[in-house]
C-alpha cells in the first residue's frame, strides 16, 4: 500500500470559511474523507500547521519513509527558504499544490521558493489539485 503524507500550511485550517470566492466552501476534513474513499487502496495521512517550524519537522519526519508528500505551504510558499531547504534535505518526492491559480493573483504570489525543490507542481484546480497530486504520486515509477 502506498503511503502519502498531505501537509497543509498556514490558514488552510480555515478552508470552508476563508475567502470562499477564492478557496471554495468545503472544509478540508470533508474533502479528506472523499479522498480516502477515492483512494481506499492508499494510506493518506494528514497534517496541518500554521507554524513554519512544525511544517519543517513534519517534512523531516515523513521525508524518508513515505512514497510521496503533497504540500500546500500556503503563504510560506512565497517566503520560506527554510521549507525549500527541508524539501531538498529529504528523499521522498514532494508535490507542491495550490488550490487557487496563484499566477492569476497578486504578483507576490507568482514566485515560489519551493517549486524548484519539488518534483512537480499542481496549481489552480481548486480542491481537486490535491486529488491530482495524489494521483501523480500513485503513478510514480
Ligand atoms: C494557496 C495560495 C497562497 O498564495 C496563499 O497564501 C494560500 C493558499 C493556495 O492553495 O491557493 O494560503 O497556497
Amino acid at each position: 500500500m502506498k503511503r502519502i503524507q498531505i501537509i497543509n500550511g498556514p490558514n488552510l485550517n480555515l478552508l470552508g470559511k476563508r475567502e470562499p470566492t477564492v478557496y471554495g466552501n468545503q472544509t478540508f476534513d470533508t474533502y479528506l474523507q472523499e479522498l480516502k474513499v477515492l483512494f481506499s487502496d492508499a494510506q493518506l495521512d494528514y497534517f496541518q500547521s500554521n507554524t513554519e517550524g512544525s511544517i519543517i519537522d513534519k517534512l523531516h519526519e515523513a521525508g524518508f519513509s513515505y512514497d510521496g508528500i503533497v504540500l500546500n505551504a500556503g503563504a510560506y510558499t512565497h517566503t520560506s527558504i527554510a521549507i525549500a531547504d527541508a524539501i531538498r534535505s529529504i528523499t521522498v518526492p514532494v508535490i507542491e499544490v495550490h488550490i487557487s491559480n496563484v499566477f492569476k493573483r497578486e504578483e507576490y504570489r507568482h514566485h515560489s521558493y519551493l517549486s524548484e525543490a519539488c518534483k512537480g507542481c499542481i496549481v489552480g484546480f481548486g480542491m481537486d489539485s490535491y486529488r491530482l497530486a495524489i494521483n501523480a504520486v500513485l503513478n510514480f515509477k
Side-chain angles (χ1 to χ4, degrees):
M1 183 185 261
K2 289 223 178 176
R3 295 169 70 222
I4 299 170
Q5 176 70 58
I6 302 169
I7 302 176
N8 269 346
N11 303 305
L12 294 165
N13 54 312
L14 294 183
L15 286 173
K17 288 187 195 148
R18 170 194 186 196
E19 298 182 83
T21 53
V22 180
Y23 300 111
N25 296 302
Q26 196 173 22
T27 67
F28 198 80
D29 281 348
T30 309
Y31 180 62
L32 184 61
Q33 294 322 308
E34 289 177 18
L35 287 176
K36 285 186 173 174
V37 171
L38 201 61
F39 296 108
S40 55
D41 51 350
Q43 180 184 319
L44 303 182
D45 292 334
Y46 178 58
F47 176 79
Q48 189 276 330
S49 176
N50 294 321
T51 309
E52 190 174 19
S54 305
I55 294 167
I56 292 168
D57 287 343
K58 184 51 80 173
L59 286 165
H60 292 176
E61 191 187 308
F64 296 90
S65 54
Y66 278 71
D67 293 290
I69 297 174
V70 172
L71 171 65
N72 185 348
Y76 287 139
T77 304
H78 318 298
T79 63
S80 182
I81 296 169
I83 293 178
D85 281 348
I87 296 168
R88 287 192 191 95
S89 304
I90 61 178
T91 54
V92 170
V94 176
I95 301 191
E96 177 181 344
V97 158
H98 298 287
I99 298 166
S100 64
N101 182 348
V102 286
F103 301 105
K104 272 199 206 163
R105 300 182 63 194
E106 302 93 331
E107 205 167 327
Y108 59 81
R109 295 185 203 276
H110 296 183
H111 177 257
S112 165
Y113 280 101
L114 313 186
S115 301
E116 72 166 282
C118 286
K119 168 108 176 149
C121 308
I122 298 176
V123 175
F125 293 94
M127 293 290 239
D128 206 34
S129 294
Y130 294 89
R131 181 188 63 82
L132 293 166
I134 292 164
N135 222 40
V137 174
L138 295 177
N139 285 316
F140 283 165
K141 292 285 179 280

